Amino acid sequence: MDFDNDSGEFSRLHNLFTFHLGIAVSLSWLTSLYAALYAPWVRNIRPLIDPTSVGPVESTWSYIFIFPVVLTTAWLISIFGQNLFARFRLFGNQAVEFAIAAAVAFGMFYLSVDRAVAAMLIGM
């Protein structure tokens, strides 16, 4: 495989990944903003969600919005860092790299929606 084919494959996978990550970011923000309307705004929301949990103090704002902020940051880095990512390689196969990135992004998206739904349920 020559560099031109390799570059074209990277560009195709990167555009596909960036598009879907943008959709996940949008849905994450919409879910979190909707949950913010119903969630109780307290200094420590963890005991309201799970009374038996003993963990760090986490306000409603950080509980609901931390994952959308991280996803947005990852999306912007993905958009503006395309040239850097094209040169930086961890594995020989680009599809494997994008699959790992997609799995991590999906996990973050899932946690974002899960936290928003948990906050919404205690507010209703």
Side-chain angles (χ1 to χ4, degrees), residues 43-47 53-59 62-63 115:
R43 181 174 163 11
N44 190 6
I45 196 169
R46 286 189 180 273
S53 72
V54 178
V57 174
E58 192 167 12
S59 70
S62 66
Y63 186 81
R115 282 182 162 214

Side-chain angles (χ1 to χ4, degrees), residues 32-121:
S32 296
L33 290 171
Y34 185 76
L37 296 174
Y38 294 101
W41 287 88
V42 294
R43 181 174 163 11
N44 190 6
I45 196 169
R46 286 189 180 273
L48 295 175
I49 293 172
D50 184 16
T52 61
S53 72
V54 178
V57 174
E58 192 167 12
S59 70
T60 302
W61 189 94
S62 66
Y63 186 81
I64 292 176
F65 292 114
I66 190 66
F67 284 115
V69 167
V70 170
L71 280 171
T72 302
T73 304
W75 184 51
L76 293 173
I77 289 172
S78 175
I79 289 170
F80 294 114
Q82 180 176 2
N83 293 333
L84 177 66
F85 290 137
R87 284 184 258 136
F88 182 70
R89 283 264 178 93
L90 291 177
F91 299 103
N93 190 350
Q94 291 178 5
V96 171
E97 289 181 356
F98 280 103
I100 292 169
V104 170
F106 180 76
M108 302 265 314
F109 171 71
Y110 176 80
L111 289 173
S112 170
V113 171
D114 184 54
R115 282 182 162 214
V117 169
M120 221 179 339
L121 290 176

